[in-house]
Amino acid sequence: MSDSDSSLETSAAVRARIDTGKPHSARFWNYFVGGKDNYDVDREVGDHIKEIFPGLVDVARTSRFFLGRAVRHLVREQGIRQFLDIGTGLPTADNTHEVAQRVAPDARIVYVDNDPLVLAHARALLTSTPEGRTDYLDADMYEPESILKAAETTLDLSKPVALMILNTLGHVAEYERARTLVSRLMAGLPSGSCLVISDSTATSEGMIAASDAYNESGAVPYYVRPVAEIAGFFDGLELLEPGIVQVTRWRPEADGPDAGEGVEVDAYGGVGRKP
């Protein structure tokens, strides 16, 4: 079998795993941020939830802006040149490697997801600069040590790494299990590494209602948490200013794409540094 035939067979196998009959979190989020990698079932659920709680669109959009600001800060101010992005989601504008490599072309990024749809689009995440490198792992978040081992092919885990887990931990139903997963991942990274987390939060009746409607749609459930539980993921780390805040309040940039919006959102995030 030729390489091209093998690639086609692999692609076909991946696409066979994609269920287009049920809404899907990555496609649903993609719809909310203006992407085109979604199906009717995702748009139907998205439109229904927008009627219940229009603010979820702002959560999706401003969470993406938070990612960009966090990455730029880590590269410019913390000297980070390596990123481990877990729960990557579908490629869209300003992915982690694009933001990082604009500032530091030698930055290295490993994306991790176990979703067949994300895997099918993974080539779009591998457009690295010549000086840097990107890689994609088809791996399970529930196996942290395996992720770290595989990431060593691209990252030097003796040097600081930024662990990015954005809008992903809500899929872990049990809070203590989610905390344990974060702790196990951070345990494999050296001093000076940073943790970046953002998630939707149970901070309004509208968000809670939207979460309930989404979970009733047949999609893999996503559980919104109190802000205090988001903060708990950073226990043992040195929180960077301004701490755990609404994603729109984390180091806003006067000349950034969301400058001056000041939107109140039910999504909180922060960045912590490992001593």
Side-chain angles (χ1 to χ4, degrees):
M1 182 182 291
S2 69
D3 288 344
S4 60
D5 289 339
S6 177
S7 176
L8 286 172
E9 182 182 62
T10 301
S11 178
V14 168
R15 291 184 182 279
R17 292 164 52 196
I18 299 172
D19 184 353
T20 61
K22 294 180 180 179
H24 183 282
S25 61
R27 300 191 311 244
F28 171 84
W29 213 243
N30 177 265
Y31 175 52
F32 272 9
V33 298
K36 297 180 180 179
D37 295 314
N38 47 73
Y39 295 95
D40 286 344
V41 65
D42 308 300
R43 295 188 286 272
E44 288 169 6
V45 172
D47 290 340
H48 173 59
I49 290 177
K50 280 194 287 187
E51 291 178 2
I52 296 171
F53 182 56
L56 191 57
V57 177
D58 288 330
V59 168
R61 185 171 48 83
T62 58
S63 293
R64 197 71 190 175
F65 292 142
F66 167 74
L67 179 152
R69 296 197 306 276
V71 170
R72 283 190 290 274
H73 174 79
L74 290 171
V75 175
R76 291 169 177 164
E77 306 301 328
Q78 301 295 322
I80 297 288
R81 294 295 182 271
Q82 303 187 109
F83 293 82
L84 181 59
D85 188 331
I86 294 181
T88 303
L90 287 166
T92 183
D94 285 344
N95 300 293
T96 298
H97 76 282
E98 294 169 320
V99 177
Q101 291 180 346
R102 281 192 204 113
V103 183
D106 61 335
R108 293 183 165 222
I109 295 86
V110 172
Y111 293 104
V112 181
D113 212 308
N114 70 336
D115 186 281
L117 184 66
V118 178
L119 176 60
H121 290 266
R123 286 190 182 90
L125 296 170
L126 303 178
T127 54
S128 175
T129 58
E131 303 94 327
R133 185 175 171 185
T134 63
D135 197 5
Y136 178 88
L137 300 179
D138 183 18
D140 193 329
M141 177 173 65
Y142 294 98
E143 300 176 356
E145 289 77 21
S146 296
I147 288 174
L148 293 167
K149 181 67 175 176
E152 286 185 300
T153 302
T154 302
L155 307 179
D156 180 353
L157 299 191
S158 69
K159 297 179 180 178
V161 175
L163 173 62
M164 315 280 294
I165 316 179
L166 277 67
N167 307 299
T168 298
L169 290 168
H171 287 301
V172 184
E174 303 86 1
Y175 176 58
E176 289 305 321
R177 188 180 190 188
R179 284 191 58 163
T180 298
L181 291 173
V182 173
S183 296
R184 288 165 64 187
L185 286 163
M186 288 302 296
L189 303 179
S191 174
S193 293
C194 292
L195 173 66
V196 183
I197 286 176
S198 71
D199 262 306
S200 300
T201 49
T203 42
S204 76
E205 292 183 1
M207 175 56 87
I208 294 170
S211 176
D212 289 344
Y214 177 78
N215 292 345
E216 292 168 0
S217 72
V220 175
Y222 186 99
Y223 304 95
V224 293
R225 294 191 161 102
V227 177
E229 292 190 358
I230 304 299
F233 292 127
F234 294 89
D235 282 356
L237 304 180
E238 300 169 347
L239 274 176
L240 304 187
E241 292 294 335
I244 309 302
V245 295
Q246 288 182 354
V247 292
T248 51
R249 307 301 182 198
W250 198 89
R251 296 179 179 266
E253 299 168 338
D255 57 350
D258 56 343
E261 285 190 333
V263 180
E264 297 287 332
V265 293
D266 292 296
Y268 279 67
V271 180
R273 185 178 184 277
K274 185 174 180 177

